[in-house]
């Protein structure tokens, strides 16, 4: 399984980007993949092809109304591991010996 | 105010990084700055100098026990805006017209 | 056209990564797409599907020998623009009024 | 020594960013640190404090004329290693057994 975090920003729409982010979030929310939105991006868990398919659908949607788009993506692939979305945080809390803000 | 998301990874410690991430998280948790841990990084809200000071303390701590460290950071600066940690997500949910997983 | 910069790092191979980066670079060099290697990643110019296809081939190759892989990618899409690989640098040099180190 | 790659983008200036990038590049070029500009960012080699000082000067300069700024940074720290700017590329070329486009 792979965790993918990404953010997608049109650069020709001024500083208020939430309307455009909302279009991508609707696609993600309806994808059926597990995800978490954070203030700087969205983390999605899935197989490589599912994740790249989702990224492509978000890009294609914003491409319809934007002439310049910046996308930032990070992947964390772990062979044979699933549930990393929750387990990575739990593991860090255990090692830190404290509850952290999530 | 600025939002900073970062992740810090020693490259000479094998695949199990939670012990090292926990050291950084303890520093962040004790900094007094507002933050949220997600499965791919940590988002912190603060002034530029506070954020770079925090990043430096995390680096210095991991530097003690690692010979190679990879750090990824994103900054989102908005003049005169505070509370972006919560407001960015709320604004996206409003535009999407649905509750999202956070 | 889109510019994609990416770096791909196995996390279970210790600190010397050049052998693994070389496998990806061979795939990129033989792709026929225009690219530039820099000390922190590789920039490739192409259409979205070409770029994601290339990224997937690099991932699949490293996946054969690695249990954990970290990938960082940035995309800069500009509708109707080609040649951005060279033109972005030229444009910055003109605005700066000086030759820069490339 | 540490390699830092970064890109800095005002989000309230439309799609043509070269004028703003040029301001940052002038600061970098006059810093005395070794750097290379690529189509997606700039790689600089230096000590941690030098690099964060440079990043801060670039931020402070763009902050004067922008209300929203996005910055992306990657660090690659290697204890006791210098000259990584050139040696990383040379090492990859040797392992790949071919000259690559740089």
């Amino acid at each position: 399984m792979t965790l993918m975090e990404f953010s997608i920003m049109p650069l020709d729409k001024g500083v208020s980007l939430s309307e455009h982010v909302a279009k991508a979030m609707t696609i993600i929310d309806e994808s059926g993949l597990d995800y978490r939105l954070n203030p700087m991006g969205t983390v999605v868990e899935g197989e490589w092809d599912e994740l790249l398919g989702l990224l492509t659908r978000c890009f294609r949607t914003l491409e319809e109304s934007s002439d310049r788009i910046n996308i930032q993506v990070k992947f964390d692939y772990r062979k044979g591991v699933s549930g990393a979305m929750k387990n990575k945080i739990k593991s860090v809390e255990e090692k830190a010996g404290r509850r952290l803000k999530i």
Side-chain angles (χ1 to χ4, degrees), chain A residues 22-35:
Chain A
K23 287 185 199 173
M25 289 312 304
T26 299
I27 295 169
I28 296 165
D29 194 46
E30 294 178 347
S31 72
L33 294 172
D34 195 19
Y35 75 91

Side-chain angles (χ1 to χ4, degrees), chain A residues 62-93:
Chain A
L62 268 72
E63 189 194 14
E64 289 170 17
S65 55
S66 301
D67 288 348
R68 187 164 188 179
I69 300 170
N70 181 279
I71 305 174
Q72 303 164 43
V73 199
K74 294 195 291 185
F75 297 93
D76 179 13
Y77 163 77
R78 298 182 80 164
K79 191 169 287 174
V81 170
S82 65
M85 183 86 86
K86 285 166 193 151
N87 293 338
K88 281 178 80 173
I89 289 176
K90 199 157 51 173
S91 176
V92 170
E93 286 188 319

Side-chain angles (χ1 to χ4, degrees), chain A residues 6 18-32 35 37 42 54 57-58 61-62:
Chain A
F6 73 112
S18 54
E19 180 194 336
H20 305 278
V21 175
K23 287 185 199 173
M25 289 312 304
T26 299
I27 295 169
I28 296 165
D29 194 46
E30 294 178 347
S31 72
Y35 75 91
L37 174 63
T42 306
L54 180 62
R57 292 201 300 282
C58 292
T61 298
L62 268 72

